[in-house]
Amino acid sequence: MNFKKICFIAAAALMTVLPAAAQTKKSGAHSAAHKDLLAKNATAKDQIKLIDQSSFVDLYDDLEPEIDIYTEGWNSRSVNPFKESDVPNSAVINVTGYHMPHPGRVTSAYGFRPRFGRMHKGVDIGLKMNDTVRAAFDGKIRLTNYEAKGYGNYVIIRHPNGLETVYGHLNKHLVKANQTVKAGDPIGLGGSTGRSTGPHLHFETRYMGYAINPAAIFDFANQTTHTDTYTFTKQTYQQPRNFAPSRQLAKNETGTNPYTSAAEKATYTVKKGDTLAAIARSYGMSTTTLRKLNNMDADERIKVGQTLKLK
C-alpha cells in the first residue's frame, strides 16, 4: 500500500469521528442559544400564557419542609437559647430599616404541609444560582452551618429588634459567626444545597424561637414591609397580612374589614383576575393545600364567583 493511499484512509477515518465529537461538544451551547432565541421571539401573548400556567404550580410543595433547626435545643451548632417561659404573649417589633433578602417572587408559602404532617416555617423565594442574598435588618451573624437533610448551607442573623432571620439553601456563605452586618449587606450566594430540587432561598423570620409567617412582616409582591411595626402574639404569628389597594377598596365598598386572616375567614369568593396561586399566597398556604381543601383536580381552573374554602 503506497503512502498516499494510507493518508487517504486515515483522513477518511478521522472525518467519521470528528463531526460527531464536535456536535456533542457544542450541543449544550446550541441548546442555550436556541432557548435564548425562543425567549426573544416570544410574544406578549405567549408570556401571559406561561405566567398563567405557572400560577397553578407550587415548585417546592412536593418537598418535605426543612428539619426545624430550632427544635434541637441549645448547643454550639444550633440556635434556640429561648425558654418558653421567657417568651411574652405579645411584643411590638420595629421593622423599619429593612432590606428585602432577595427581589425574587415567593414560590412556596409558609404553612402546614398535610402531605408531611408538619409546617413549612418560612417562605421560598425564587433566585438564580449565585444570586446575592442580603441581610434583612442590621444585626450580628449568630451562626453559619450546613444541614444536609434540610437547609443546606444556612445563615442565622440576630437583630436588635428582637427578630432572628434564617437564610437557607445557600451555595456559599459570605459571612462568619459574630460578624456585624447592616441591612442589605451580602451574606451569601443563592443555591440549591441541602433538601432542594432547584435554586431558591428559604427565608424565615423568628421571634424567640417562634417562626412568624414572613408574609405578616413583608409584602413580597411590592418589595416592602406592610407597616413600620409588627405586633407578635402567640395566637396570630402564623397569619399573613395583606394591605393591597384592592383589599382597601373592598373595605371601602362593603364597610367590612378585608384583612381578616386565614384563621378567621372560612371562605373566599373568586374575583376577576384572581389566580389560585395568588389566593393561596394571600392566605399563607400552598396551591396544593387550597386544591385539597376544595377537592379540586390538579388541572381544574377556578371561576369568577366561585366560593373557595380556606379551612
Side-chain angles (χ1 to χ4, degrees), residues 9 44 57 80 109 112 114 129 163 171-172 201 217 245 269 274 308:
I9 293 172
V57 178
N80 190 6
F112 185 70
M129 188 67 73
L163 291 176
N171 191 37
K172 182 180 181 181
L201 171 67
I217 298 174
T269 302
D274 280 342
L308 298 175

Side-chain angles (χ1 to χ4, degrees), residues 48-262:
I48 290 171
K49 286 181 179 179
L50 288 172
I51 292 170
D52 181 60
Q53 289 174 357
S54 66
S55 68
F56 292 89
V57 178
D58 192 333
L59 296 179
Y60 305 106
D61 190 51
D62 288 337
L63 282 181
E64 184 175 0
E66 290 82 355
I67 295 171
D68 190 348
I69 54 176
Y70 281 74
T71 61
E72 299 176 7
W74 168 261
N75 60 54
S76 62
R77 300 301 292 166
S78 62
V79 183
N80 190 6
F82 308 109
K83 296 179 180 178
E84 175 60 30
S85 59
D86 295 333
V87 183
N89 186 60
S90 178
V92 177
I93 300 169
N94 185 336
V95 293
T96 58
Y98 71 93
H99 193 287
M100 301 303 289
H102 185 75
R105 71 181 185 89
V106 173
T107 58
S108 187
Y110 172 104
F112 185 70
R113 296 294 190 263
R115 179 177 177 183
F116 305 107
R118 68 161 97 170
M119 288 287 291
H120 181 233
K121 296 187 176 182
V123 297
D124 291 340
I125 300 173
L127 48 64
K128 295 179 181 179
M129 188 67 73
N130 291 322
D131 275 357
T132 303
V133 174
R134 301 179 184 276
F137 302 99
D138 293 353
K140 180 177 283 190
I141 306 302
R142 178 70 180 83
L143 179 67
T144 63
N145 203 358
Y146 177 75
E147 172 55 62
K149 296 181 179 180
Y151 293 72
N153 289 316
Y154 65 91
V155 171
I156 298 177
I157 308 177
R158 182 168 294 178
H159 307 286
N161 61 7
L163 291 176
E164 286 193 338
T165 49
V166 182
Y167 311 76
H169 304 304
L170 302 175
N171 191 37
K172 182 180 181 181
H173 303 126
L174 296 180
V175 290
K176 296 181 179 179
N178 296 315
Q179 180 178 336
T180 300
V181 294
K182 293 291 186 181
D185 282 352
I187 59 168
L189 301 179
S192 186
T193 56
R195 190 173 179 84
S196 171
T197 59
H200 70 285
L201 171 67
H202 176 81
F203 176 64
E204 296 183 9
T205 48
R206 299 263 186 163
Y207 177 71
M208 299 190 76
Y210 277 72
I212 297 168
N213 187 338
I217 298 174
F218 292 96
D219 176 355
F220 291 97
N222 294 299
Q223 299 290 289
T224 185
T225 54
H226 292 296
T227 50
D228 289 342
T229 60
Y230 167 72
T231 301
F232 164 86
T233 72
K234 293 179 180 179
Q235 294 74 38
T236 63
Y237 71 94
Q238 294 183 339
Q239 299 170 9
R241 291 193 291 173
N242 189 336
F243 296 123
S246 59
R247 306 203 102 191
Q248 184 63 50
L249 179 61
K251 179 179 179 181
N252 293 338
E253 290 176 346
T254 64
T256 60
N257 185 356
Y259 310 132
T260 305
S261 69

